[in-house]
Amino acid sequence: MQTIYEGARIIGRENIRFGDPVLIDDFVLVVARETITLGNYVHLACFSSITGGQEVTLGDFVALSQGARILTGTDDFTGWGFGNSTLDEAYRNTTRAPVSIGRFCVIGANAVVLPGVTIGEGATVGANTVVTRDLEPWGVYLGNRRLRHRDREGVLATHRSFIEASRS
């Protein structure tokens, strides 16, 4: 089951593989020029977005908090190119690469995940941070910096309990 609120903007819906259930709040923007896979029990909170023109995979039980951004394409403003989408790619210094977010991950409010990043299972990303490189599983991160370990056994026990309850 998908619940997509009326105020959400989905471009390229035919390129999205939806799990069950998926909840997409008002004011979410998803631009699916390539395949976007949303696992089971995925929530995209208001003002979050997935853009950039490359593939994205969100595993089961993933949450993008309010204002979180998944970018699969960006301009490098420090290099030779113009940072302007009205121009042909030949005049822009762009980076485009898929993003993968493992199951049980939470991306905090207003966090940004840049192209080519893989976030390991169970990792959480703090609010207002930028993720520029891969993150190891089961960590609590502020940007790229691991602050502590996340309770893997506790999350997996909760998952088992959830699965058992849903079978009843």
Side-chain angles (χ1 to χ4, degrees), residues 129-145:
T129 65
V130 179
V131 180
T132 62
R133 60 179 172 81
D134 293 352
L135 301 181
E136 294 295 319
W138 300 105
V140 177
Y141 292 88
L142 193 58
N144 299 317
R145 190 177 56 144

Side-chain angles (χ1 to χ4, degrees), residues 19-117:
D20 183 31
V22 170
L23 174 60
I24 300 178
D25 290 349
D26 279 327
F27 313 114
V28 169
L29 172 64
V30 177
V31 180
R33 300 204 191 293
E34 296 291 335
T35 302
I36 293 178
T37 303
L38 305 176
N40 299 316
Y41 300 96
V42 168
H43 178 216
L44 307 182
C46 61
F47 301 105
S48 63
S49 64
I50 301 173
T51 62
Q54 293 294 308
E55 292 182 4
V56 175
T57 302
L58 302 184
D60 296 344
F61 300 94
V62 167
L64 296 187
S65 299
Q66 297 87 345
R69 309 265 184 247
I70 306 302
L71 304 178
T72 64
T74 61
D75 287 279
D76 179 351
F77 304 118
T78 65
W80 54 267
F82 298 120
N84 186 325
S85 299
T86 64
L87 299 169
D88 186 271
E89 287 282 326
Y91 302 103
R92 298 171 59 202
N93 187 15
T94 58
T95 298
R96 296 190 195 286
V99 170
S100 179
I101 299 176
R103 65 185 189 148
F104 307 119
C105 291
V106 178
I107 309 301
N110 297 312
V112 178
V113 178
L114 293 181
V117 168

